[in-house]
Amino acid sequence: EVQLVESGGGLVQPGGSLRLSCAASGFTFSAYAMSWVRQTPGKGLEWVSTISNGGVSTTYADSVKGRFTISRDNARKMLYLQMNSLKPEDTAVYYCKADLSDRRYLGGRRPYWGQGTQVTVSS
């Protein structure tokens, strides 16, 4: 069974930092790119960042570029998101996401999501 479990969210003041973690199990973690996606009531789902399976390639949404850093530890099957210089508009539920091979699904990929972790940036 595929499981993605996020942790590390919380309340932080503007300008502060948080590190989110995602523990993965039930699939070959090192074979897949991984992503962070966030959701707010007003904006809906917003892609934040993706890291390649080996961790060499990373991409970021313009809204977080230069402030957030995605990383992974394939030996520990862990995904991370270091968030610095946090802004109130970063307030959201953050999800860890994996798109795993499955021919039954459109594009041959099935999305898996964690339960999410709440990040609130407020003074």
Side-chain angles (χ1 to χ4, degrees), residues 38-46 89 91-93:
R38 65 188 181 185
Q39 184 171 31
T40 61
K43 291 186 178 180
L45 282 173
E46 179 188 15
E89 52 263 43
T91 296
V93 177

Side-chain angles (χ1 to χ4, degrees), residues 15-80:
S17 297
L18 279 176
R19 188 195 196 203
L20 305 184
S21 299
C22 172
S25 62
F27 64 103
T28 307
F29 182 73
S30 60
Y32 292 95
M34 295 292 296
S35 298
W36 287 98
V37 180
R38 65 188 181 185
Q39 184 171 31
T40 61
K43 291 186 178 180
L45 282 173
E46 179 188 15
W47 168 77
V48 174
S49 181
T50 296
I51 186 167
S52 62
N53 64 313
V56 174
S57 177
T58 58
T59 52
Y60 298 92
D62 287 344
S63 58
V64 306
K65 199 173 294 183
R67 300 187 298 120
F68 290 11
T69 302
I70 191 171
S71 62
R72 65 190 297 162
D73 184 335
N74 283 347
R76 296 184 177 185
K77 299 184 179 181
M78 294 291 296
L79 177 71
Y80 304 102

